[in-house]
Amino acid sequence: MCSVSYICFWFTVGASWLVVNTSVSGNSMSEEERLRLKEEAKEMFYHAYTSYMDNAYPADELMPLSCMPRWRGVDQSRGDIDDTLGNFSLTLVDSLDTLVVMGDIEEFDRALRLVVRDVSFDNDVVVSVFETNIRMVGGLLSGHVLAEHLNQLYGALGWYRGELLTMARDLATRLLPAFNTTTGIPHAKVNLKYGMKSPKLQSSRDTCTACAGTIILEFAALSRLTGDSIFEEKARQALDCLWSQRHRGSDLVGTVLNVHSGDWVRRDSGVGAGIDSYYEYLLKAYVLLGDDSYLERFNKVLKGDIKPAIETHEMLFQVIQRHNFLPEAFTTDFQVHWGQHPLRPEFLESTYLLYLATDDPYYLRVGEHILRSLQKHAWVPCGYAAVKDVRTGVHEDRMDSFVLSETFKYLYLLFAKPSDLIIDVDHFIFTTEAHLLPLSLARLSNLTVVPGPDPQESAQDSDVEYARSCPNAHFLFPGRHEFAETIRRPLKNFVNNVCPSRKTLQRKLRASEFQAGNSRHMSLLRDMGITIMALPDGRVQLLHTSSNAKSSDDAEEGLLFMQEMIELSKLQQEQPENPPRVVSFQQEIDGQSVVTTIQAGPAQFGLDLKGDVQVKGTVVKASPLRACDQLHNKGDIKDKIVIIERGDCMFIEKARRLETLGAVGGIVLDNTPGTSAKSSPMFAMSGDGTDDVSIPLVFLFSADAELLLNALDKQPDLEAALSDFPYKESGTGSVEEVQLELSATSEAGKETKVAESEEGQLPQVISIINKRQKEDEDISGDDLVTVVEGQQAKHTEQERKDYFLKFQKALMELENANSAEEILVAAVHYVNSRQEQEVAEGNILKTGQPSSAIITELQGLLIKKTSSDPSLLKSLLSVHLRELMAVLQQASPSTSDLDTSLHHLLNQLTALTLKPSVLDHPRNTASETKLSHQRGSPKGDHNEDSKLEEELSEVIQHQIRKIRKQFEHTTDSDDLEEKWLR
């Protein structure tokens, strides 16, 4: 397989010299048609531009399906693709010079004023150096150059004083920290406010060739326009290092390299994504800057030759005719491999350049075809939407800024004649983002010079004319008329002839039907040349090798099967957020009521257990357990929650069978022994595309399910509930990102205890305030949620950075807390964030000894927090003593650490000379009796203070013993620590 390589015929400057005398073929276009298409292309741009300005500005992008703005850090993250966004009105800046190309000076004036007024870069956001340079720095520079150019030509924009150039310099300066590497090759990303000091960039080390090699035009232009050489020097150093790392035999460069060592991380080469614009900028840097070294490097690898350009363009156009748009990637036999099309401009750019080079109206017809596809398949009421898959035509809520900066610009230029434009584009070079930089930069030193209105003046400058000329011109044309048509003619129906026969293939197995536990399915996969490997967490890996297939038809079906699997995987990832669910049940242990809650995986079908939706029922096992055939105990299923096992048939098939027999819900147990939410990624059970099930289905890993199965063995009439996972907004008392949760509740004032997650292992307890519906409702010791967290999983570098930010947020929350309840909630978040930090850094739970640092830090923070308001400490040590102990115990499971912290807090309370009545509370009647004789003045001698401390300590210890007994905790420090470490 290979990905699509877009042909980019880069000779975008001085285009008039490329035109040859070619007779018009049958593809001729009338002047009336050309004008109509030019105006339609302009209307398309304004439909997108106006939609953005009306519905999204000043955000970076418009979401055309929802007709909403896309803000960085506000809308759901899309991963690395969002590194293009910086909350700096990207689409408007990227579109500035398109307004000039369209001849709209009035709107260009208005847009410039908006940019100057609204756009700033002092944002704490990590952005792509490459994208920010080509889109924002390039857009600002082009806007500046054209503003001065229009002022010279037409006297427009008299108010403009170079503000955009100042902004471009500010932004580029913020990118400079990325260049501080041993090689001079810039990091891929940088924080606009903090440079490389952002926690998210601590592990930055790799970048792509295009990312480092597509900076020279913008940075050199900035240096020559401002007189500050640092930008051009940095960009040139990066290019020089890339060239020094080339393969000496072929002069080719790889795709990804280490910015510190210069070593190649990916050695594959080509002209596709990750490399393409590096070669583009070598040639354009020569044209714009007049440096022969750039041309020499370009000529060692590529040479301008129109014949392969025509051939490749024709092949790609035939692919477009099959699918309306060019997919992101297709195979060598022209089958769609990656069907997405975000309305990219590269093919239109190549069409425009080939038309300039050949004057063949055929390319006008190609442009018309693209225009019609955009209008029919991408137009939406709020702009133009990207296509998620060219095979289905389904839209994606995305309209990238390059659609306005490049796609519509090249479409308009294709149908426009030079006389239709208010500027002479032959005086400019187009950057990779189609921004216009003046060719006069070749003769600039450090002065802001823009093209003059008299083309004859520059024509007399032989150096500038040489700078505009492209190399290898004698290779471009064979010196005959209609040569483009003669090149295309042999390629007619090329794609159709190469593509596999359209005969109907009788499918034996589709990806949506596949079950890893089905022996027949496994046999069919082997026939197709697909090998399968089971992973420890129950997932499977598939590998297709055509040569291993039983027949050519089996090999073809294997390819289709793999493609379907890829699409199924994508669809599952694109499913709307489907958070975890829980299975909860109540049982009697030693005469006390215990409610156990286990995290469960959701299903993408059936009843949605969101919010308060809950299903309850008596639990029963299916027989046979996998429930893929008729059940032997179907009479026991009605109105029950049925336990079934994964395997042999699809999840949704099991659900349909249960619903037919009258079940109210189902619990699917994993069929791989030993799996748990602690060690395996949770997933959502997928359906088959038809959601005709109305009962809920949840998934439990096998180790987690043992809790349920053991309870069912002891209590055959066990009742369970299926419900939503209790996530809440930060600060409301929830504990996020838990893997196994056990909730301790109480009824009628009964005390409860927490079940152990594993035999002999003490649960890691976090107690927090469970806020009630009414804000003024009292919170007692029974209003608790107790959570059990399993062993910490391995954390990625990104997670470690996120934990640091989470820690800072928790610290601020603790500082801003105004009540004992808020302090406790903030303390839980603080302890969680610190422990996540320590585990991620490998400081605890790996060395064999728990850390005392966190409880010491928390103790200090609590003392500091309550020093100015003694009533807060009073409340913590009385009304909320049980919650406080649980938080401190979470900070360190060591009994000695817990006692030490409580002792320090008690000393603080004594030092503040509080009355012993602070411990008065309905739960502390024994305390009230013991301390009644102490209710005198808080002032007294040292002995009185000592007595007070002793009495307070005795009360505290009494409460500690009581609470420990509830949780069956030992008071032996060593034994307790040993159990924790286990």
Side-chain angles (χ1 to χ4, degrees), residues 167-177 219 222 228 230-231:
M167 294 174 69
R169 184 175 186 175
D170 175 23
L171 180 56
T173 301
R174 296 174 185 272
L175 301 182
L176 286 180
F219 269 38
L222 182 59
D228 189 346
I230 185 65
F231 303 105

Side-chain angles (χ1 to χ4, degrees), residues 625-822:
L625 193 56
R626 294 202 172 180
C628 293
D629 300 314
Q630 279 297 87
L631 298 187
H632 305 324
N633 61 337
K634 56 184 179 182
D636 300 332
I637 303 301
K638 186 174 175 58
D639 298 327
K640 303 289 186 8
I641 294 177
V642 185
I643 294 177
I644 55 181
E645 188 179 53
R646 179 184 189 179
D648 293 347
C649 60
M650 299 185 69
F651 292 120
I652 196 167
E653 292 177 25
K654 299 175 188 285
R656 288 174 182 143
R657 181 164 285 105
L658 296 185
E659 183 171 20
T660 301
L661 296 175
V664 296
I667 302 173
V668 181
L669 309 185
D670 194 11
N671 58 357
T672 303
T675 59
S676 72
K678 295 186 295 182
S679 57
S680 304
M682 188 59 74
F683 65 94
M685 295 178 287
S686 59
D688 58 4
T690 303
D691 188 2
D692 53 1
V693 176
S694 58
I695 65 172
L697 208 66
V698 299
F699 179 88
L700 291 182
F701 287 108
S702 56
D704 302 338
E706 287 298 320
L707 290 169
L708 175 62
L709 296 176
N710 291 337
L712 183 60
D713 289 341
K714 297 175 183 177
Q715 190 175 336
D717 60 346
L718 183 72
E719 292 189 356
L722 312 181
S723 59
D724 193 9
F725 189 79
Y727 278 130
K728 299 179 182 179
E729 294 297 326
S730 178
T732 63
S734 64
V735 178
E736 301 176 357
E737 298 177 0
V738 297
Q739 293 182 323
L740 182 63
E741 177 178 309
L742 302 178
S743 297
T745 63
S746 64
E747 298 178 4
K750 293 182 180 180
E751 294 178 348
T752 65
K753 68 178 183 178
V754 178
E756 297 180 3
S757 60
E758 294 182 13
E759 185 178 355
Q761 179 177 354
L762 201 63
Q764 186 176 358
V765 180
I766 305 173
S767 296
I768 60 173
I769 302 300
N770 181 17
K771 289 196 172 182
R772 300 307 184 190
Q773 296 296 327
K774 297 179 181 179
E775 290 294 332
D776 58 348
E777 188 172 347
D778 290 337
I779 300 176
S780 68
D782 295 328
D783 294 326
L784 299 173
V785 177
T786 305
V787 178
V788 176
E789 292 188 329
Q791 283 187 328
Q792 302 289 342
K794 291 183 179 179
H795 298 280
T796 64
E797 186 66 27
Q798 181 61 46
E799 287 174 327
R800 288 196 288 270
K801 299 168 188 173
D802 293 340
Y803 292 149
F804 175 75
L805 297 177
K806 189 175 178 181
F807 159 68
Q808 290 183 317
K809 181 180 179 181
L811 188 60
M812 183 176 296
E813 182 184 0
L814 186 58
E815 292 175 351
N816 295 332
N818 295 317
S819 66
E821 291 88 349
E822 291 179 357

Side-chain angles (χ1 to χ4, degrees), residues 375-546:
Q375 291 286 65
K376 184 177 181 179
H377 303 290
W379 187 95
V380 293
C382 203
Y384 289 84
V387 178
K388 185 176 293 186
D389 195 312
V390 297
R391 291 163 292 191
T392 63
V394 175
H395 284 143
E396 189 175 358
D397 201 5
R398 169 184 177 185
M399 187 176 77
D400 292 84
S401 66
F402 58 66
V403 177
L404 287 82
S405 174
E406 300 183 76
T407 304
F408 291 128
K409 183 182 293 175
Y410 286 124
L411 187 62
Y412 179 81
L413 286 172
L414 177 62
F415 298 115
K417 288 186 175 181
S419 58
D420 297 325
L421 306 176
I422 64 172
I423 60 173
D424 187 348
V425 293
D426 286 352
H427 288 163
F428 299 86
I429 192 169
F430 285 73
T431 69
T432 195
E433 189 73 9
H435 292 311
L436 283 69
L437 296 178
L439 289 173
S440 55
L441 287 176
R443 57 180 178 179
L444 287 184
S445 53
N446 294 320
L447 300 176
T448 303
V449 178
V450 293
D454 184 6
Q456 294 183 353
E457 179 183 350
S458 59
Q460 296 171 358
D461 190 332
S462 59
D463 290 337
V464 174
E465 280 301 302
Y466 179 72
R468 291 180 182 178
S469 65
C470 289
N472 307 311
H474 57 287
F475 289 121
L476 295 178
F477 312 108
R480 53 188 294 188
H481 297 299
E482 300 181 351
F483 68 94
E485 172 61 23
T486 63
I487 295 171
R488 290 193 304 268
R489 191 177 298 121
L491 299 175
K492 187 176 182 181
N493 297 322
F494 175 74
V495 171
N496 286 336
N497 291 336
V498 173
C499 284
S501 170
R502 298 196 178 201
K503 65 179 181 180
T504 303
L505 182 67
Q506 192 68 31
R507 297 295 301 277
K508 303 182 186 71
L509 179 66
R510 296 184 182 275
S512 60
E513 304 166 347
F514 172 68
Q515 284 291 319
N518 188 308
S519 59
R520 176 178 170 273
H521 291 182
M522 297 298 290
S523 177
L524 289 173
L525 289 190
R526 286 192 293 271
D527 291 345
M528 297 178 199
I530 297 175
T531 55
I532 186 168
M533 181 177 68
L535 300 178
D537 60 8
R539 295 178 299 161
V540 293
Q541 284 185 343
L542 291 86
L543 175 66
H544 179 236
T545 307
S546 297

Side-chain angles (χ1 to χ4, degrees), residues 830-843:
Y830 176 84
V831 171
N832 280 339
S833 63
R834 282 289 288 115
Q835 288 181 334
E836 288 170 343
Q837 268 190 301
E838 293 291 294
V839 173
E841 297 297 332
N843 297 332

Side-chain angles (χ1 to χ4, degrees), residues 94 112 238 286 567 658 671 768 784 899:
D94 219 4
L112 245 61
Y286 160 70
E567 294 307 314
L658 296 185
N671 58 357
I768 60 173
L784 299 173
D899 291 342

